[in-house]
């Protein structure tokens, strides 16, 4: 998903619609593949459901056509949070909690999603 977003941003910057369509198709393929989704095992921003959710939101905002996204919010809600888990931004509960709410700021620019 992160690479697809980087490709989408590059395509938008250069006006390359073919590249943008391919990036968006790659993203859709990923988030609709149960085998790939099953590899996400935590809620973190770095490689967890929070990062996937934020990437999906930004991809959908800039997409050429609507991106069908499965229930990523539900996936994020249902991912188990260990009681003694980290509390930090990238791999902890702080970032996971930020992703639960639609972005009202561009805080995710620090993740290079914007």
């Amino acid at each position: 998903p992160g690479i697809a977003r980087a490709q989408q941003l590059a395509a938008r910057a250069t006006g390359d619609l073919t590249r943008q369509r391919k990036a968006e198709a790659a993203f859709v393929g990923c988030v609709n593949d149960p085998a790939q989704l099953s590899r996400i095992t935590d809620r973190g921003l770095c490689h967890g459901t929070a990062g996937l959710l934020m990437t999906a939101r930004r991809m959908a905002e800039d997409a050429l056509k609507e991106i069908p996204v499965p229930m990523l919010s539900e996936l994020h809600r249902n991912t188990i949070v260990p009681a003694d888990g980290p509390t930090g931004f990238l791999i902890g509960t702080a970032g996971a909690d930020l992703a639960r709410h639609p972005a009202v700021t561009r805080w995710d620019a620090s993740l290079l999603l914007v």
Side-chain angles (χ1 to χ4, degrees), residues 21-98:
R21 281 188 202 93
K22 286 180 181 180
E24 292 166 5
F27 180 80
V28 168
C30 175
V31 298
N32 285 292
D33 181 354
Q36 291 186 56
L37 288 179
S38 71
R39 298 183 72 189
I40 300 173
T41 59
D42 67 66
R43 301 182 85 223
L45 279 172
C46 194
H47 291 95
T49 58
L52 182 58
L53 185 58
M54 291 306 303
T55 304
R57 284 184 184 142
R58 294 302 185 194
M59 289 283 298
E61 284 176 7
D62 294 335
L64 294 172
K65 63 180 187 174
E66 184 178 347
I67 291 182
V69 178
M71 302 302 290
L72 295 180
S73 292
E74 184 177 331
L75 174 68
H76 183 60
R77 270 193 307 276
N78 294 333
T79 303
I80 296 170
V81 180
D84 61 345
T87 59
F89 177 66
L90 282 178
I91 61 169
T93 55
D97 288 343
L98 274 171

